[in-house]
Amino acid sequence: QVQLVESGGGLVQPGGSLRLSCAASGSIFSIYVMSWYRQAPGKPRELVAAITSGGSTHYADSVKGRFAISRDNAKNTVHLQMNSLNPEDTAVYYCKAGVGPSYYWGQGTQVTVSS
């Protein structure tokens, strides 16, 4: 069982930046693929970025060049640095940990981009 707690969301103006963090419980964090998803009102949840245990990353086309995912296995944390935010990035952002057929979700953190 893995528990995930996201933090760092909030209100930011267009063009601004936020850094989301996800803290995970458990001693085998390093083997999990860690991902960030987001869900805007009335839309399905979508993958934003993912990072493997070896550090390989994947990004949705909509965030490439603006977002960066990173992980610190010693601290059981994963981060999502979000730059050049625009109103279309407004959503609840969720952290996900997965290995094999098992996966776990955090409770989500709200990101609102508005002037």
Side-chain angles (χ1 to χ4, degrees), residues 16-20 66-67 80-85 93 111:
S17 298
L18 281 176
R19 187 184 193 223
L20 304 183
R66 299 189 298 123
F67 290 11
L80 185 67
Q81 177 67 42
M82 305 186 295
N83 300 323
S84 301
L85 286 161
Y93 283 71
V111 171

Side-chain angles (χ1 to χ4, degrees), residues 6-44:
E6 300 101 331
S7 61
L11 174 64
V12 63
Q13 292 186 340
S17 298
L18 281 176
R19 187 184 193 223
L20 304 183
S21 296
C22 173
S25 64
S27 59
I28 55 172
F29 172 82
S30 62
I31 73 171
Y32 284 88
V33 175
M34 300 301 299
S35 307
W36 286 96
Y37 284 71
R38 66 186 180 187
Q39 187 166 20
K43 294 186 176 181

Side-chain angles (χ1 to χ4, degrees), residues 30-79:
S30 62
I31 73 171
Y32 284 88
V33 175
M34 300 301 299
S35 307
W36 286 96
Y37 284 71
R38 66 186 180 187
Q39 187 166 20
K43 294 186 176 181
R45 192 171 296 188
E46 62 174 358
L47 175 66
V48 175
I51 185 166
T52 68
S53 57
S56 297
T57 57
H58 169 80
Y59 297 94
D61 288 343
S62 59
V63 306
K64 282 181 180 177
R66 299 189 298 123
F67 290 11
I69 188 171
S70 61
R71 67 190 296 161
D72 185 338
N73 290 336
K75 296 182 178 180
N76 283 12
T77 58
V78 62
H79 303 287

Side-chain angles (χ1 to χ4, degrees), residues 13-16 62 66 83-90 112-114:
Q13 292 186 340
S62 59
R66 299 189 298 123
N83 300 323
S84 301
L85 286 161
N86 58 62
E88 290 69 37
D89 296 315
T90 295
T112 302
V113 184
S114 175

